[in-house]
Amino acid sequence: MGLVAYLKTQFVLQLLLGFVFVVSGLLINFIQLLTCVLWPIDKQLYRRINTRLSYSLWSQLVMLLEWWSGTQCTLYTDQATVDKFGKEHVIIILNHNYEIDFLCGWTICERYGVLGSSKVLAKHELLKVPLIGWTWYFLEIVFCKRKWEEDRETVFRGLERLRDYPEFMWFLLYCEGTRFTEKKHQISMEVAESKGLPKLKYHLLPRTKGFTTALKCLKGTVSAVYDVTLNFKDHQVPTLLGIINGKKYMADMRIRRFPVEEIPEDEKECANWLHKLYQEKDALQEHYHKEGTFPGPTITPPRRLWTLLNFLFWAALLLSPLINFACGVVVSGSPLLILGFSLFLIVASLAIRRLIGVTEVKKTGSSYGDEGSKKQN
């Protein structure tokens, strides 16, 4: 292990990274709160400002992936599809197998200029998560409880509000509804068998309601659906903790573009289209497991300096007063000050660990398989 790689694993440096993210996030959330006065005056200006504020926060996580860990993302797609990236409103369908699948999606958003305006259909519990949920609230993210009778009005209203969004947006859908685990997969395939649907090997049965609703509400706004199938070289199982420790991963993403005109408008036919899409995604994963690659030409978009420069700006702004204060505490020799600062570090480390825990597969709570949730398709 080289010196730089060793330093990346040290708790103190990781704590400083977390401090910059948390404190800058709180400052950004406060500024977002202040921008709310713009909503009744100029809604589009409010949106443009918050798009850039959210970029300043999310790009710090992308910086960890691209510059801190050096993770590489290779796209398997054609140049004609890439030429449209960042130039149209789209719905993204991504498989939900890994702790950092959202980060891989965000790094592609960043490289094509749509990170700040990226959207997601998020579970309601995330609204209560500091920084993440609060930033999403100001970005007009649609939150749902995954109980259709309760979500219907909220989802329709939230999606229709985005029809006039001024920046090109990529709207992410995890159609499987929850992250893949063996237990959930077993339950999902039991449901597939009971409904007479083909079984999937690498995915859960997609929940069609969210997709058909999003397509219907955003009709005339989105021009295409991007199907993204993600996997990692050498059977790697990436984690956010691995990223923070500087571990490098090799991500491969097969991207296919489907113009909305090719997708049936009828809800039942649209649901069948989605089921067929997931059968194709399963075949792509089978190919990847056998060959180690996806079919098709490859493109590796270069990482941009903006994420690194943005982090360095926040680090310069926030770490200097923190280090000066820490030195002052040590020099003072006051047991009370030293104890207080030590407690602050402990609380800060626990808070950061809690945020990381939101992404961990083994800690991801879900009602998947409950009788109530089985009825949602």
Side-chain angles (χ1 to χ4, degrees):
M1 179 185 292
L3 177 61
V4 174
Y6 171 75
L7 290 175
K8 289 179 181 179
T9 65
Q10 298 308 294
F11 174 74
V12 173
L13 275 183
Q14 295 174 359
L15 187 60
L16 291 177
L17 287 173
F19 173 82
V20 172
F21 177 74
V22 170
V23 177
S24 66
L26 292 174
L27 289 173
I28 288 169
N29 286 162
F30 178 70
I31 297 172
Q32 287 181 305
L33 181 62
L34 296 179
T35 65
C36 288
V37 298
L38 292 173
W39 180 267
I41 302 170
D42 191 334
K43 182 174 67 173
Q44 303 298 37
L45 176 61
Y46 165 89
R47 286 169 161 174
R48 292 183 188 280
I49 292 173
N50 276 277
T51 291
R52 283 147 185 82
L53 289 172
S54 66
Y55 175 87
S56 190
L57 183 60
W58 300 148
S59 65
Q60 294 181 51
L61 298 178
V62 174
M63 184 281 299
L64 286 177
L65 185 80
E66 295 181 339
W67 295 93
W68 185 261
S69 82
T71 293
Q72 293 184 5
C73 293
T74 300
L75 309 183
Y76 288 75
T77 191
D78 57 89
Q79 189 60 49
T81 297
V82 172
D83 289 342
K84 294 183 178 294
F85 287 177
K87 301 174 182 176
E88 58 182 350
H89 297 292
V90 298
I91 292 174
I92 307 286
I93 297 176
L94 177 63
N95 55 304
H96 203 9
N97 298 71
Y98 305 99
E99 288 185 12
I100 67 165
D101 46 32
F102 76 97
L103 262 184
C104 293
W106 275 359
T107 192
I108 302 305
C109 287
E110 199 288 322
R111 294 181 193 195
Y112 291 100
V114 291
L115 176 59
S117 58
S118 62
K119 309 295 180 186
V120 66
L121 189 62
K123 58 184 179 181
H124 192 267
E125 293 90 334
L126 291 175
L127 180 58
K128 303 174 185 177
V129 178
L131 306 185
I132 298 173
W134 299 348
T135 303
W136 275 351
Y137 175 80
F138 292 113
L139 276 177
E140 303 169 77
I141 294 299
V142 182
F143 293 94
C144 61
K145 299 177 180 177
R146 294 186 288 191
K147 295 179 181 178
W148 182 241
E149 292 307 315
E150 296 182 26
D151 290 332
R152 183 193 303 272
E153 292 302 319
T154 301
V155 171
F156 269 96
R157 187 167 57 251
L159 289 172
E160 289 179 352
R161 190 169 58 232
L162 296 174
R163 290 173 63 91
D164 64 342
Y165 208 77
E167 310 261 341
F168 288 123
M169 62 177 177
W170 286 11
F171 193 97
L172 172 63
L173 287 178
Y174 288 118
C175 292
E176 294 161 271
T178 186
R179 190 175 278 121
F180 184 100
T181 65
E182 290 300 329
K183 180 180 179 181
K184 293 174 187 176
H185 181 252
Q186 181 181 355
I187 296 170
S188 181
M189 292 307 98
E190 290 173 359
V191 174
E193 186 175 6
S194 69
K195 293 186 175 183
L197 295 169
K199 291 187 176 182
L200 304 173
K201 186 176 180 181
Y202 303 101
H203 302 84
L204 305 179
L205 194 67
R207 297 183 176 188
T208 59
K209 189 68 71 174
F211 174 70
T212 58
T213 301
L215 204 59
K216 179 180 179 180
C217 291
L218 296 176
K219 182 180 179 181
T221 299
V222 300
S223 54
V225 171
Y226 293 173
D227 170 52
V228 183
T229 305
L230 170 68
N231 213 317
F232 290 84
K233 293 288 189 189
D234 304 321
H235 306 289
Q236 293 175 309
V237 182
T239 64
L240 188 53
L241 277 176
I243 294 293
I244 293 172
N245 283 320
K247 186 173 181 179
K248 182 176 182 177
Y249 300 105
M250 305 294 289
D252 288 334
M253 308 172 79
R254 178 70 169 100
I255 303 179
R256 298 181 295 166
R257 182 182 183 275
F258 297 92
V260 292
E261 296 80 12
E262 297 179 3
I263 303 173
E265 292 188 16
D266 178 77
E267 184 174 348
K268 185 176 181 180
E269 291 181 7
C270 185
N272 290 335
W273 182 91
L274 184 64
H275 281 300
K276 183 175 181 294
L277 181 76
Y278 267 80
Q279 293 162 30
E280 295 172 358
K281 288 171 75 70
D282 224 49
L284 285 171
Q285 292 286 32
E286 182 68 22
H287 182 279
Y288 193 91
H289 278 77
K290 289 180 178 179
E291 306 295 333
T293 62
F294 289 118
T298 61
I299 295 173
T300 304
R303 61 187 181 182
R304 305 196 305 171
L305 272 173
W306 293 116
T307 57
L308 182 60
L309 293 175
N310 175 75
F311 175 79
L312 292 176
F313 163 76
W314 283 113
L317 182 67
L318 299 174
L319 290 183
S320 178
L322 175 68
I323 293 172
N324 287 337
F325 178 74
C327 291
V329 169
V330 174
V331 171
S332 72
S334 168
L336 188 60
L337 280 177
I338 293 174
L339 177 61
F341 189 67
S342 299
L343 287 175
F344 166 76
L345 293 178
I346 293 172
V347 171
S349 63
L350 290 175
I352 294 166
R353 188 63 186 81
R354 181 69 179 271
L355 284 174
I356 294 172
V358 173
T359 71
E360 293 181 342
V361 172
K362 62 184 178 181
K363 293 184 179 179
T364 303
S366 174
S367 61
Y368 199 90
D370 293 349
E371 289 302 317
S373 64
K374 286 181 180 180
K375 297 176 183 179
Q376 298 311 310
N377 276 331

